[in-house]
Amino acid sequence: MIIDCHGHFTTVPTHFRNWRAKQVEFADDPVNAPKVADAYVSDDEIREGIENGQLKLQQERGSDLTLFSPIAGLMSHHLGNERTSLEWASVSNDLVYRVTQMYPDNFAPVGMLPQSPHAPPKNSIPELRRMVEELGFVGVNVNPDPTGGYWTGKPFTEREWYPLFEAMCELDVPGMVHVAASCNPNFHGTGAHYLNADTSVFMQILQSDLFRDFPTLRLIIPHGGGAVPYHWGRYRGMSLEMMNRPLEGLLDNIFFDTCVYHHPGVELLTNVVPTTNVLFGSEMIGAVRGRDPDTGHYFDDTKRYVDACEALTDEDRFRIYEGNARRVYPRLDARLKAQGL
Amino acid sequence: MIIDCHGHFTTVPTHFRNWRAKQVEFADDPVNAPKVADAYVSDDEIREGIENGQLKLQQERGSDLTLFSPIAGLMSHHLGNERTSLEWASVSNDLVYRVTQMYPDNFAPVGMLPQSPHAPPKNSIPELRRMVEELGFVGVNVNPDPTGGYWTGKPFTEREWYPLFEAMCELDVPGMVHVAASCNPNFHGTGAHYLNADTSVFMQILQSDLFRDFPTLRLIIPHGGGAVPYHWGRYRGMSLEMMNRPLEGLLDNIFFDTCVYHHPGVELLTNVVPTTNVLFGSEMIGAVRGRDPDTGHYFDDTKRYVDACEALTDEDRFRIYEGNARRVYPRLDARLKAQGL
């Protein structure tokens, strides 16, 4: 089967986005704030978003299952306050849960956390436990920059993050390191902030002993790892010089998706990074929605690029499309087995 | 001939670095500040740094000429104040000038600007004019984030930058978009901030009409363009969707160097980006100084990677190694012609 490890519910109805805008607007004015009940999205609206969107493209492109999470850009942990983040995470995760209940063969749930610039990461643990233990989520998106592009918080490898990582290890859920919208005009969201975050966190980890402290923590660096595989030689050299250890030691714990929107990029990724560490992902429907005028195909139809990598063996393809996802997300594997898959 | 478009004088004597540290320490205490005369580096010290460093490696690796500029990390425009930046730029540019006077066949001068977070970019124009008109500099490094990794200034495409770009066009010198050290613990300098800046500024330009306003402005995005060529499909798609124009329109004005420290990265770069827009660069001696234990060769010996790109024609190689540099840096071409080259 073909598992897409990276999809967001970007096709929510407009009123749901408007509710969030209003919630943020009235963050400090609870009397006038919108009620949680008003964030309700009907089954019909879910069907409209999914069946005309991600499900349709999934079927057209020939993938089977998407790890599905709330819209990354809309997580916007920098907006509002800790209370609104808690409420928004809960509402968003519940909505994703409903999608995966309605389409259990096509979508498995991945959650967002109620992070906030002024809240320690450990405050996200109750929602993490709820989504995993009560709703059966198989993974979680962790935002390494809740400040929305100003990066005034602490690096991802600092001790304040450790309680969250402990909980992720205990629950055996991997984290996708995924920022939200950028409020810094220097960084376009999907064109810069996303890729910069991938690169920056990888480098933070390279400089740290994070996986000595958490040998079972597993992190997916999305968007093909930002700039990392393209600069694999730079990082190999820096790891040897700065840390006196080979970069490859990180590969027990770090994985990259294939959200790279042209064949040469995916070919480099699968050439440079061992195929044990590459998970198929497309991020559709997301950052780039159009078709390549040269080929007529969607830019984000990343399966085409993987299929065209001639050096890959059948075993490599199995790993990228299915095997690695089952290994990195044990709760996904258990869910699939329970479905007889 | 083989022109390396990207080299910094990283082998300055320790007392020169110490002078800068002291200058910053006493930025607001002019009575106790170190004197400019004390920043003097002797000819012998220059010889020691250059002949055991960049010149030796140049000869070992078979390149002929390096476009040589002050240490990027040490530009640190976020430190001190506008006065110290002015002084440091002048001292640093003068030192680079002396290197190129002592070794005119091996090094051509590229300057740094006296940028400062609280100074408008136009305040850098007098030093730009001095280095180009009086000292014969052929290019300039422009720091898109003088705040040192907090990115609290305005995007590179905002009007406040325009007077500087006007001067660069008038003087016919290209700019390498190159940040300095990072004081943000989230961003390692050479492992994240450099690459992020390359990516971010490219995206700022993609979203802008900068080259409609400055059709003759030429910018080099170093470090192989950050994440850009690896994500070329993403940017092609975004340019079509957001700006309704092909990405390739930027290629009259934007160029990438080959500072990518492994063969697959350089192969992708030269495959994806037209060879009219790729300039040989190594950044030696810089971010990665060690040898690849798998090959025994230096990671930053980027000529090996270019040489190994089998798809390149002789014409492509001429462009990458010489032709593009002469075209992008007309003052370099004039200098070489004056030398009979």
Side-chain angles (χ1 to χ4, degrees):
Chain A
M1 69 186 300
I2 294 179
I3 300 168
D4 182 339
C5 77
H6 191 170
H8 304 289
F9 192 7
T10 48
T11 53
V12 291
T14 307
H15 73 78
F16 187 71
R17 293 176 182 265
N18 292 344
W19 186 91
R20 168 62 170 168
K22 206 171 161 192
Q23 187 220 24
V24 168
E25 186 184 347
F26 292 95
D28 298 317
D29 182 6
V31 174
N32 293 303
K35 293 184 175 53
V36 170
D38 294 337
Y40 187 76
V41 175
S42 72
D43 284 359
D44 279 349
E45 287 171 325
I46 289 177
R47 276 186 210 104
E48 192 180 324
I50 295 293
E51 294 184 13
N52 295 322
Q54 289 83 355
L55 185 63
K56 183 166 157 255
L57 292 178
Q58 208 184 64
Q59 289 165 346
E60 281 177 16
R61 299 179 187 181
S63 70
D64 299 300
L65 177 78
T66 301
L67 300 193
F68 209 54
S69 62
I71 315 175
L74 225 56
M75 294 195 298
S76 294
H77 295 110
H78 60 283
L79 299 177
N81 52 38
E82 188 176 5
R83 187 192 61 73
T84 58
S85 281
L86 283 160
E87 196 174 72
W88 179 240
S90 162
V91 161
S92 298
N93 289 332
D94 285 349
L95 180 59
V96 159
Y97 175 70
R98 286 175 58 215
V99 173
T100 63
Q101 289 291 99
M102 288 169 68
Y103 304 96
D105 297 338
N106 304 98
F107 299 96
V110 167
M112 66 170 277
L113 293 174
Q115 296 174 253
S116 189
H118 304 296
K122 72 172 160 51
N123 289 14
S124 287
I125 296 173
E127 178 64 9
L128 175 67
R129 289 199 179 280
R130 184 184 80 93
M131 69 172 88
V132 174
E133 294 180 329
E134 295 178 27
L135 304 180
F137 279 45
V138 303
V140 63
N141 296 334
V142 185
N143 183 350
D145 173 35
T147 71
Y150 283 102
W151 293 90
T152 50
K154 288 187 180 163
F156 200 65
T157 48
E158 288 288 316
R159 296 278 155 171
E160 72 165 19
W161 291 91
Y162 274 31
L164 178 64
F165 298 152
E166 276 165 27
M168 287 164 62
C169 290
E170 182 207 321
L171 294 167
D172 209 11
V173 287
M176 180 173 278
V177 181
H178 203 308
V179 286
S182 163
C183 61
N184 186 331
N186 285 286
F187 302 138
H188 183 272
T190 52
H193 186 42
Y194 281 23
L195 305 178
N196 292 350
D198 304 335
T199 307
S200 302
V201 172
F202 183 86
M203 185 64 201
Q204 290 173 16
I205 292 170
L206 184 156
Q207 295 177 264
S208 79
D209 287 313
L210 184 65
F211 300 134
R212 181 199 61 194
D213 296 341
F214 294 101
T216 62
L217 183 65
R218 295 179 304 282
L219 299 173
I220 299 97
I221 313 280
H223 321 106
V228 170
Y230 177 48
H231 288 282
W232 199 244
R234 173 176 285 252
Y235 292 106
R236 285 187 61 227
M238 294 186 104
S239 184
L240 290 168
E241 274 176 66
M242 295 171 59
M243 305 302 291
N244 197 28
R245 64 189 183 197
L247 185 67
E248 291 73 11
L250 298 180
L251 294 177
D252 289 340
N253 304 85
I254 285 193
F255 305 86
F256 302 100
D257 73 16
T258 65
C259 295
V260 179
Y261 295 158
H262 63 152
H263 173 66
V266 173
E267 192 163 56
L268 176 134
L269 169 68
T270 56
N271 173 10
V272 163
V273 174
T275 55
T276 45
N277 291 73
V278 177
L279 277 68
F280 174 65
S282 74
E283 212 187 353
M284 68 92 171
I285 300 169
V288 180
R289 303 186 178 199
R291 291 175 189 265
D292 184 344
D294 292 350
T295 65
H297 297 289
Y298 287 105
F299 281 107
D300 66 359
D301 186 358
T302 55
K303 182 167 171 295
R304 295 179 55 83
Y305 311 135
V306 177
D307 286 344
C309 289
E310 291 175 7
L312 295 176
T313 64
D314 287 349
E315 190 185 356
D316 290 329
R317 287 173 204 277
F318 170 75
R319 285 175 179 154
I320 293 170
Y321 281 133
E322 178 181 346
N324 294 338
R326 283 180 178 255
R327 182 165 51 91
V328 174
Y329 296 79
R331 286 176 181 267
L332 170 68
D333 188 51
R335 181 187 167 100
L336 291 171
K337 282 180 177 150
Q339 291 173 329
L341 295 167
Chain B
M1 70 185 299
I2 294 179
I3 301 167
D4 182 339
C5 76
H6 191 171
H8 303 288
F9 192 6
T10 48
T11 52
V12 291
T14 307
H15 73 78
F16 188 71
R17 292 176 183 266
N18 292 346
W19 186 91
R20 168 61 169 167
K22 206 170 162 195
Q23 187 220 24
V24 168
E25 186 184 347
F26 292 95
D28 298 318
D29 183 7
V31 174
N32 293 303
K35 294 185 173 51
V36 170
D38 295 336
Y40 187 76
V41 176
S42 72
D43 284 0
D44 279 348
E45 286 171 325
I46 289 178
R47 277 185 209 104
E48 191 181 325
I50 295 293
E51 293 184 13
N52 295 322
Q54 288 84 355
L55 184 63
K56 183 166 158 252
L57 291 179
Q58 210 184 65
Q59 290 166 345
E60 281 177 14
R61 298 179 187 182
S63 70
D64 299 299
L65 178 77
T66 301
L67 300 193
F68 209 54
S69 62
I71 315 176
L74 225 56
M75 294 195 299
S76 296
H77 296 111
H78 60 282
L79 299 176
N81 52 38
E82 188 175 4
R83 186 192 61 72
T84 57
S85 282
L86 283 160
E87 196 175 71
W88 180 239
S90 163
V91 161
S92 299
N93 289 332
D94 285 349
L95 180 59
V96 159
Y97 175 70
R98 285 175 57 216
V99 173
T100 63
Q101 289 292 99
M102 289 169 68
Y103 304 94
D105 296 338
N106 303 98
F107 298 96
V110 167
M112 68 171 278
L113 294 173
Q115 296 174 254
S116 189
H118 304 296
K122 73 172 161 47
N123 288 13
S124 288
I125 296 174
E127 177 65 9
L128 176 67
R129 287 199 180 280
R130 184 183 81 91
M131 70 173 88
V132 174
E133 295 180 330
E134 295 177 25
L135 304 180
F137 279 45
V138 303
V140 64
N141 296 333
V142 185
N143 183 349
D145 173 34
T147 71
Y150 282 104
W151 294 90
T152 50
K154 288 188 180 164
F156 199 66
T157 48
E158 288 288 316
R159 296 278 155 172
E160 73 165 20
W161 291 91
Y162 274 31
L164 178 64
F165 299 151
E166 276 166 27
M168 288 165 62
C169 290
E170 183 208 320
L171 295 167
D172 210 11
V173 287
M176 180 173 277
V177 182
H178 203 308
V179 286
S182 163
C183 61
N184 186 331
N186 285 286
F187 302 139
H188 183 271
T190 52
H193 187 42
Y194 281 23
L195 306 178
N196 293 350
D198 305 334
T199 307
S200 302
V201 171
F202 183 86
M203 186 64 202
Q204 290 173 15
I205 292 170
L206 184 156
Q207 294 176 265
S208 80
D209 287 313
L210 184 65
F211 301 133
R212 182 200 60 195
D213 296 341
F214 295 100
T216 63
L217 183 66
R218 295 179 304 283
L219 299 173
I220 298 96
I221 313 279
H223 320 106
V228 171
Y230 177 49
H231 288 282
W232 200 245
R234 173 177 285 251
Y235 292 106
R236 284 187 62 225
M238 293 185 106
S239 183
L240 291 168
E241 274 176 65
M242 294 170 59
M243 305 302 290
N244 198 28
R245 64 189 182 198
L247 185 67
E248 290 73 10
L250 298 180
L251 295 177
D252 289 340
N253 304 85
I254 285 193
F255 304 86
F256 302 100
D257 74 15
T258 64
C259 295
V260 179
Y261 295 158
H262 63 152
H263 173 65
V266 173
E267 191 162 57
L268 177 136
L269 169 66
T270 55
N271 173 10
V272 163
V273 175
T275 54
T276 46
N277 292 73
V278 177
L279 277 66
F280 175 64
S282 74
E283 212 186 353
M284 68 91 171
I285 302 168
V288 179
R289 302 185 178 200
R291 291 176 189 264
D292 183 345
D294 291 351
T295 66
H297 297 289
Y298 287 106
F299 281 108
D300 66 359
D301 185 359
T302 55
K303 182 168 171 293
R304 296 179 54 83
Y305 311 136
V306 177
D307 287 343
C309 288
E310 291 176 7
L312 296 177
T313 65
D314 287 349
E315 191 185 354
D316 290 329
R317 287 172 205 276
F318 170 75
R319 286 175 179 154
I320 292 170
Y321 281 133
E322 178 180 348
N324 295 338
R326 282 181 179 255
R327 183 165 50 91
V328 174
Y329 296 78
R331 287 176 181 268
L332 170 68
D333 189 50
R335 180 186 169 100
L336 291 171
K337 282 180 177 149
Q339 291 172 328
L341 295 168

